Each structure stands twice: as structure tokens, then as C-alpha cells.
mmCIF file of all heavy atoms in Angstrom:
data_model
loop_
_atom_site.group_PDB
_atom_site.id
_atom_site.type_symbol
_atom_site.label_atom_id
_atom_site.label_comp_id
_atom_site.label_asym_id
_atom_site.label_seq_id
_atom_site.Cartn_x
_atom_site.Cartn_y
_atom_site.Cartn_z
ATOM 1 N N GLU A 1 0.830 -1.197 0.000
ATOM 2 C CA GLU A 1 0.000 0.000 0.000
ATOM 3 C C GLU A 1 0.865 1.247 0.000
ATOM 4 O O GLU A 1 1.910 1.292 0.643
ATOM 5 C CB GLU A 1 -0.901 -0.008 1.235
ATOM 6 C CG GLU A 1 -1.897 1.101 1.265
ATOM 7 C CD GLU A 1 -2.914 0.911 2.374
ATOM 8 O OE1 GLU A 1 -2.657 0.172 3.339
ATOM 9 O OE2 GLU A 1 -3.980 1.523 2.267
ATOM 10 N N SER A 2 0.400 2.239 -0.728
ATOM 11 C CA SER A 2 1.072 3.526 -0.787
ATOM 12 C C SER A 2 0.015 4.623 -0.853
ATOM 13 O O SER A 2 -1.072 4.399 -1.389
ATOM 14 C CB SER A 2 1.956 3.580 -2.029
ATOM 15 O OG SER A 2 2.434 4.874 -2.213
ATOM 16 N N THR A 3 0.342 5.784 -0.345
ATOM 17 C CA THR A 3 -0.620 6.888 -0.394
ATOM 18 C C THR A 3 -0.347 7.870 -1.528
ATOM 19 O O THR A 3 -1.267 8.476 -2.031
ATOM 20 C CB THR A 3 -0.635 7.658 0.937
ATOM 21 O OG1 THR A 3 0.691 8.073 1.251
ATOM 22 C CG2 THR A 3 -1.188 6.788 2.039
ATOM 23 N N ARG A 4 0.907 8.037 -1.924
ATOM 24 C CA ARG A 4 1.239 8.986 -3.001
ATOM 25 C C ARG A 4 2.136 8.330 -4.019
ATOM 26 O O ARG A 4 3.328 8.184 -3.760
ATOM 27 C CB ARG A 4 1.955 10.207 -2.439
ATOM 28 C CG ARG A 4 1.040 11.081 -1.685
ATOM 29 C CD ARG A 4 1.757 12.337 -1.267
ATOM 30 N NE ARG A 4 1.393 12.582 0.122
ATOM 31 C CZ ARG A 4 2.169 13.144 1.010
ATOM 32 N NH1 ARG A 4 3.361 13.530 0.700
ATOM 33 N NH2 ARG A 4 1.764 13.320 2.233
ATOM 34 N N PRO A 5 1.663 7.940 -5.145
ATOM 35 C CA PRO A 5 0.258 7.904 -5.541
ATOM 36 C C PRO A 5 -0.439 6.775 -4.797
ATOM 37 O O PRO A 5 0.201 5.817 -4.354
ATOM 38 C CB PRO A 5 0.303 7.600 -7.035
ATOM 39 C CG PRO A 5 1.566 6.822 -7.201
ATOM 40 C CD PRO A 5 2.535 7.389 -6.196
ATOM 41 N N TYR A 6 -1.769 6.887 -4.678
ATOM 42 C CA TYR A 6 -2.506 5.849 -3.963
ATOM 43 C C TYR A 6 -2.418 4.550 -4.751
ATOM 44 O O TYR A 6 -2.711 4.508 -5.941
ATOM 45 C CB TYR A 6 -3.969 6.216 -3.738
ATOM 46 C CG TYR A 6 -4.670 5.119 -2.969
ATOM 47 C CD1 TYR A 6 -4.456 4.980 -1.597
ATOM 48 C CD2 TYR A 6 -5.460 4.184 -3.608
ATOM 49 C CE1 TYR A 6 -5.030 3.951 -0.881
ATOM 50 C CE2 TYR A 6 -6.052 3.149 -2.893
ATOM 51 C CZ TYR A 6 -5.837 3.037 -1.539
ATOM 52 O OH TYR A 6 -6.402 2.010 -0.845
ATOM 53 N N LEU A 7 -2.009 3.511 -4.065
ATOM 54 C CA LEU A 7 -1.868 2.198 -4.693
ATOM 55 C C LEU A 7 -2.074 1.151 -3.610
ATOM 56 O O LEU A 7 -1.496 1.246 -2.532
ATOM 57 C CB LEU A 7 -0.467 2.071 -5.294
ATOM 58 C CG LEU A 7 -0.119 0.794 -6.028
ATOM 59 C CD1 LEU A 7 -0.991 0.632 -7.265
ATOM 60 C CD2 LEU A 7 1.343 0.822 -6.431
ATOM 61 N N ARG A 8 -2.916 0.188 -3.886
ATOM 62 C CA ARG A 8 -3.140 -0.911 -2.945
ATOM 63 C C ARG A 8 -3.239 -2.184 -3.771
ATOM 64 O O ARG A 8 -4.139 -2.333 -4.585
ATOM 65 C CB ARG A 8 -4.408 -0.685 -2.146
ATOM 66 C CG ARG A 8 -4.607 -1.713 -1.072
ATOM 67 C CD ARG A 8 -5.863 -1.368 -0.269
ATOM 68 N NE ARG A 8 -6.052 -2.310 0.787
ATOM 69 C CZ ARG A 8 -5.533 -2.226 1.997
ATOM 70 N NH1 ARG A 8 -4.773 -1.211 2.311
ATOM 71 N NH2 ARG A 8 -5.759 -3.151 2.901
ATOM 72 N N ILE A 9 -2.295 -3.092 -3.543
ATOM 73 C CA ILE A 9 -2.227 -4.345 -4.284
ATOM 74 C C ILE A 9 -2.264 -5.497 -3.280
ATOM 75 O O ILE A 9 -1.445 -5.551 -2.365
ATOM 76 C CB ILE A 9 -0.906 -4.442 -5.093
ATOM 77 C CG1 ILE A 9 -0.743 -3.254 -6.034
ATOM 78 C CG2 ILE A 9 -0.819 -5.765 -5.830
ATOM 79 C CD1 ILE A 9 -1.698 -3.219 -7.177
ATOM 80 N N ILE A 10 -3.199 -6.409 -3.470
ATOM 81 C CA ILE A 10 -3.258 -7.618 -2.646
ATOM 82 C C ILE A 10 -2.320 -8.636 -3.290
ATOM 83 O O ILE A 10 -2.446 -8.947 -4.470
ATOM 84 C CB ILE A 10 -4.694 -8.188 -2.589
ATOM 85 C CG1 ILE A 10 -5.670 -7.146 -2.031
ATOM 86 C CG2 ILE A 10 -4.721 -9.488 -1.789
ATOM 87 C CD1 ILE A 10 -5.414 -6.713 -0.612
ATOM 88 N N ARG A 11 -1.346 -9.129 -2.507
ATOM 89 C CA ARG A 11 -0.373 -10.062 -3.070
ATOM 90 C C ARG A 11 -0.706 -11.511 -2.771
ATOM 91 O O ARG A 11 -0.503 -12.369 -3.623
ATOM 92 C CB ARG A 11 1.024 -9.725 -2.541
ATOM 93 C CG ARG A 11 1.557 -8.404 -3.086
ATOM 94 C CD ARG A 11 2.975 -8.135 -2.652
ATOM 95 N NE ARG A 11 3.038 -7.781 -1.241
ATOM 96 C CZ ARG A 11 3.910 -6.936 -0.718
ATOM 97 N NH1 ARG A 11 4.829 -6.366 -1.480
ATOM 98 N NH2 ARG A 11 3.916 -6.662 0.559
ATOM 99 N N GLY A 12 -1.137 -11.828 -1.565
ATOM 100 C CA GLY A 12 -1.378 -13.235 -1.258
ATOM 101 C C GLY A 12 -1.671 -13.471 0.203
ATOM 102 O O GLY A 12 -2.025 -12.556 0.938
ATOM 103 N N MET A 13 -1.486 -14.728 0.626
ATOM 104 C CA MET A 13 -1.747 -15.162 1.991
ATOM 105 C C MET A 13 -0.436 -15.656 2.599
ATOM 106 O O MET A 13 0.218 -16.539 2.034
ATOM 107 C CB MET A 13 -2.776 -16.291 2.017
ATOM 108 C CG MET A 13 -4.098 -15.971 1.355
ATOM 109 S SD MET A 13 -5.140 -14.846 2.292
ATOM 110 C CE MET A 13 -5.638 -15.884 3.651
ATOM 111 N N LEU A 14 -0.063 -15.075 3.743
ATOM 112 C CA LEU A 14 1.218 -15.392 4.373
ATOM 113 C C LEU A 14 1.058 -15.669 5.860
ATOM 114 O O LEU A 14 0.122 -15.192 6.497
ATOM 115 C CB LEU A 14 2.192 -14.221 4.215
ATOM 116 C CG LEU A 14 2.511 -13.753 2.806
ATOM 117 C CD1 LEU A 14 3.439 -12.552 2.862
ATOM 118 C CD2 LEU A 14 3.100 -14.859 1.979
ATOM 119 N N CYS A 15 2.037 -16.396 6.407
ATOM 120 C CA CYS A 15 2.117 -16.529 7.863
ATOM 121 C C CYS A 15 2.643 -15.198 8.414
ATOM 122 O O CYS A 15 3.153 -14.358 7.660
ATOM 123 C CB CYS A 15 3.041 -17.688 8.249
ATOM 124 S SG CYS A 15 4.783 -17.453 7.835
ATOM 125 N N ASP A 16 2.540 -14.991 9.713
ATOM 126 C CA ASP A 16 2.981 -13.732 10.315
ATOM 127 C C ASP A 16 4.464 -13.463 10.072
ATOM 128 O O ASP A 16 4.864 -12.330 9.798
ATOM 129 C CB ASP A 16 2.695 -13.721 11.820
ATOM 130 C CG ASP A 16 1.218 -13.529 12.123
ATOM 131 O OD1 ASP A 16 0.515 -12.887 11.327
ATOM 132 O OD2 ASP A 16 0.764 -14.032 13.169
ATOM 133 N N ALA A 17 5.290 -14.514 10.166
ATOM 134 C CA ALA A 17 6.735 -14.334 9.988
ATOM 135 C C ALA A 17 7.059 -13.849 8.573
ATOM 136 O O ALA A 17 7.842 -12.917 8.387
ATOM 137 C CB ALA A 17 7.477 -15.635 10.284
ATOM 138 N N CYS A 18 6.454 -14.463 7.573
ATOM 139 C CA CYS A 18 6.725 -14.060 6.181
ATOM 140 C C CYS A 18 6.093 -12.713 5.860
ATOM 141 O O CYS A 18 6.615 -11.963 5.035
ATOM 142 C CB CYS A 18 6.262 -15.139 5.210
ATOM 143 S SG CYS A 18 7.322 -16.608 5.273
ATOM 144 N N ASN A 19 4.993 -12.380 6.527
ATOM 145 C CA ASN A 19 4.402 -11.061 6.344
ATOM 146 C C ASN A 19 5.371 -9.988 6.841
ATOM 147 O O ASN A 19 5.503 -8.926 6.237
ATOM 148 C CB ASN A 19 3.060 -10.974 7.075
ATOM 149 C CG ASN A 19 2.226 -9.810 6.610
ATOM 150 O OD1 ASN A 19 2.157 -9.508 5.426
ATOM 151 N ND2 ASN A 19 1.581 -9.157 7.553
ATOM 152 N N SER A 20 6.101 -10.286 7.919
ATOM 153 C CA SER A 20 7.126 -9.355 8.416
ATOM 154 C C SER A 20 8.275 -9.225 7.425
ATOM 155 O O SER A 20 8.831 -8.138 7.247
ATOM 156 C CB SER A 20 7.669 -9.833 9.766
ATOM 157 O OG SER A 20 6.687 -9.704 10.753
ATOM 158 N N VAL A 21 8.614 -10.335 6.779
ATOM 159 C CA VAL A 21 9.666 -10.296 5.752
ATOM 160 C C VAL A 21 9.238 -9.356 4.616
ATOM 161 O O VAL A 21 10.034 -8.562 4.117
ATOM 162 C CB VAL A 21 9.969 -11.714 5.208
ATOM 163 C CG1 VAL A 21 10.837 -11.663 3.966
ATOM 164 C CG2 VAL A 21 10.624 -12.555 6.292
ATOM 165 N N MET A 22 7.973 -9.427 4.225
ATOM 166 C CA MET A 22 7.489 -8.549 3.153
ATOM 167 C C MET A 22 7.498 -7.085 3.598
ATOM 168 O O MET A 22 7.725 -6.194 2.777
ATOM 169 C CB MET A 22 6.100 -8.973 2.686
ATOM 170 C CG MET A 22 6.086 -10.298 1.944
ATOM 171 S SD MET A 22 7.286 -10.432 0.588
ATOM 172 C CE MET A 22 6.649 -9.208 -0.546
ATOM 173 N N SER A 23 7.299 -6.827 4.885
ATOM 174 C CA SER A 23 7.403 -5.454 5.398
ATOM 175 C C SER A 23 8.830 -4.943 5.229
ATOM 176 O O SER A 23 9.045 -3.772 4.947
ATOM 177 C CB SER A 23 6.994 -5.392 6.873
ATOM 178 O OG SER A 23 5.637 -5.690 7.009
ATOM 179 N N CYS A 24 9.800 -5.831 5.399
ATOM 180 C CA CYS A 24 11.206 -5.454 5.185
ATOM 181 C C CYS A 24 11.442 -5.158 3.711
ATOM 182 O O CYS A 24 12.080 -4.159 3.358
ATOM 183 C CB CYS A 24 12.142 -6.555 5.657
ATOM 184 S SG CYS A 24 12.052 -6.891 7.422
ATOM 185 N N LEU A 25 10.933 -6.002 2.835
ATOM 186 C CA LEU A 25 11.089 -5.780 1.395
ATOM 187 C C LEU A 25 10.409 -4.473 0.983
ATOM 188 O O LEU A 25 10.936 -3.726 0.160
ATOM 189 C CB LEU A 25 10.503 -6.946 0.596
ATOM 190 C CG LEU A 25 10.678 -6.856 -0.917
ATOM 191 C CD1 LEU A 25 12.150 -7.031 -1.298
ATOM 192 C CD2 LEU A 25 9.828 -7.893 -1.622
ATOM 193 N N ASP A 26 9.257 -4.183 1.584
ATOM 194 C CA ASP A 26 8.521 -2.964 1.254
ATOM 195 C C ASP A 26 9.175 -1.712 1.828
ATOM 196 O O ASP A 26 8.798 -0.603 1.479
ATOM 197 C CB ASP A 26 7.085 -3.048 1.786
ATOM 198 C CG ASP A 26 6.243 -4.056 1.019
ATOM 199 O OD1 ASP A 26 6.630 -4.446 -0.094
ATOM 200 O OD2 ASP A 26 5.182 -4.450 1.555
ATOM 201 N N GLY A 27 10.136 -1.888 2.731
ATOM 202 C CA GLY A 27 10.834 -0.738 3.304
ATOM 203 C C GLY A 27 10.106 -0.112 4.482
ATOM 204 O O GLY A 27 10.382 1.023 4.843
ATOM 205 N N THR A 28 9.187 -0.840 5.096
ATOM 206 C CA THR A 28 8.490 -0.302 6.260
ATOM 207 C C THR A 28 9.041 -0.872 7.563
ATOM 208 O O THR A 28 8.597 -0.495 8.638
ATOM 209 C CB THR A 28 6.969 -0.583 6.183
ATOM 210 O OG1 THR A 28 6.753 -1.983 6.066
ATOM 211 C CG2 THR A 28 6.352 0.136 4.986
ATOM 212 N N LYS A 29 10.006 -1.773 7.443
ATOM 213 C CA LYS A 29 10.625 -2.405 8.609
ATOM 214 C C LYS A 29 12.076 -2.725 8.246
ATOM 215 O O LYS A 29 12.377 -3.017 7.092
ATOM 216 C CB LYS A 29 9.849 -3.689 8.935
ATOM 217 C CG LYS A 29 10.275 -4.415 10.151
ATOM 218 C CD LYS A 29 9.375 -5.611 10.383
ATOM 219 C CE LYS A 29 9.923 -6.467 11.475
ATOM 220 N NZ LYS A 29 9.164 -7.699 11.634
ATOM 221 N N ARG A 30 12.969 -2.694 9.234
ATOM 222 C CA ARG A 30 14.387 -2.989 8.979
ATOM 223 C C ARG A 30 14.623 -4.493 8.879
ATOM 224 O O ARG A 30 14.013 -5.288 9.589
ATOM 225 C CB ARG A 30 15.246 -2.425 10.091
ATOM 226 C CG ARG A 30 15.277 -0.923 10.050
ATOM 227 C CD ARG A 30 16.350 -0.392 10.975
ATOM 228 N NE ARG A 30 16.430 1.035 10.814
ATOM 229 C CZ ARG A 30 16.021 1.909 11.721
ATOM 230 N NH1 ARG A 30 15.520 1.493 12.859
ATOM 231 N NH2 ARG A 30 16.106 3.195 11.490
ATOM 232 N N TRP A 31 15.534 -4.865 7.999
ATOM 233 C CA TRP A 31 15.936 -6.269 7.853
ATOM 234 C C TRP A 31 16.719 -6.705 9.080
ATOM 235 O O TRP A 31 17.466 -5.926 9.670
ATOM 236 C CB TRP A 31 16.836 -6.460 6.633
ATOM 237 C CG TRP A 31 16.108 -6.429 5.341
ATOM 238 C CD1 TRP A 31 16.033 -5.383 4.468
ATOM 239 C CD2 TRP A 31 15.355 -7.492 4.739
ATOM 240 N NE1 TRP A 31 15.273 -5.721 3.380
ATOM 241 C CE2 TRP A 31 14.851 -7.012 3.512
ATOM 242 C CE3 TRP A 31 15.059 -8.792 5.127
ATOM 243 C CZ2 TRP A 31 14.069 -7.792 2.672
ATOM 244 C CZ3 TRP A 31 14.278 -9.569 4.291
ATOM 245 C CH2 TRP A 31 13.787 -9.071 3.080
ATOM 246 N N GLY A 32 16.598 -7.965 9.430
ATOM 247 C CA GLY A 32 17.361 -8.554 10.520
ATOM 248 C C GLY A 32 18.577 -9.278 9.965
ATOM 249 O O GLY A 32 18.921 -9.145 8.779
ATOM 250 N N PRO A 33 19.218 -10.108 10.788
ATOM 251 C CA PRO A 33 20.448 -10.784 10.373
ATOM 252 C C PRO A 33 20.235 -11.856 9.300
ATOM 253 O O PRO A 33 21.190 -12.266 8.657
ATOM 254 C CB PRO A 33 20.969 -11.414 11.673
ATOM 255 C CG PRO A 33 19.780 -11.496 12.571
ATOM 256 C CD PRO A 33 18.884 -10.358 12.184
#
């Protein structure tokens, strides 16, 4: 999801751990080791 420009794309179904990985890829969370 993005606000400027507005964009919302549904990608799929993930477990919580992999959803956090996607947050890292999206740049909303820092990568771990």
C-alpha cells in the first residue's frame, strides 16, 4: 500500500513471519540478520 500515488495491491496469503519479511522488502521495517 502507498498513499502517493494511492496504490493498494493484494499479493497473497502469508504466515505472520513471512508477512514481516514482506514489510522489510517494502521498506516499512528494517531487515534482521
Side-chain angles (χ1 to χ4, degrees):
E1 186 170 21
S2 170
T3 54
R4 288 186 224 148
Y6 181 76
L7 182 64
R8 186 177 182 88
I9 304 291
I10 302 297
R11 291 185 287 213
M13 304 287 289
L14 302 177
C15 67
D16 286 331
C18 289
N19 197 41
S20 291
V21 168
M22 291 309 294
S23 294
C24 297
L25 183 69
D26 290 343
T28 57
K29 184 177 171 186
R30 290 192 175 109
W31 284 101

